[in-house]
Amino acid sequence: MFRIVMIAAWAVLLIVVLYLWADVREIRSVVKDTKRELLRSNLSARASESFPNFEKEAREKEVDGQQEAAQSASVRSSGKSLNPQEEQVLNDVLTEFLG
């Protein structure tokens, strides 16, 4: 009788330990994800502090590229034709500014 109770107690203890181990693994993965998100938000906050005008500069470049595209369209529509070298340079510049 004592032996049966001892085996049952060991089985219950083993199940409790397995549940605790599973909980610890789950908590570890949650902590890892939380750390990763905190690091990402911290880095993005630092980047915005270091470069507050970064978005403004990007918008200015985009506007400049659109203005150049409009100018090139007006040059083409005005009847002036570009030689192949000038057209290639213009295409390279537009590609660089517009991405």
Side-chain angles (χ1 to χ4, degrees):
M1 179 75 181
F2 178 73
R3 193 171 228 178
I4 294 172
V5 171
M6 190 172 73
I7 291 172
W10 277 109
V12 169
L13 184 64
L14 179 65
I15 290 171
V16 169
V17 168
L18 287 174
Y19 274 122
L20 287 174
W21 183 51
D23 286 342
V24 167
R25 288 184 59 182
E26 184 178 336
I27 290 170
R28 187 182 308 156
S29 67
V30 169
V31 168
K32 185 178 179 181
D33 291 340
T34 306
K35 276 181 165 180
R36 185 180 298 135
E37 291 300 321
L38 285 173
L39 184 61
R40 283 182 186 160
S41 66
N42 191 13
L43 288 176
S44 66
R46 286 186 183 183
S48 67
E49 289 173 3
S50 300
F51 305 105
N53 296 327
F54 190 67
E55 291 180 11
K56 189 170 137 183
E57 290 176 6
R59 277 189 236 119
E60 288 175 359
K61 285 183 181 179
E62 184 178 320
V63 169
D64 289 341
Q66 290 174 351
Q67 288 175 350
E68 285 185 17
Q71 287 175 356
S72 68
S74 66
V75 166
R76 288 184 182 170
S77 65
S78 67
K80 296 180 184 177
S81 62
L82 299 174
N83 65 18
Q85 290 178 334
E86 291 175 341
E87 191 170 335
Q88 179 64 32
V89 169
L90 182 62
N91 286 336
D92 291 341
V93 169
L94 289 176
T95 304
E96 184 176 334
F97 276 102
L98 298 177

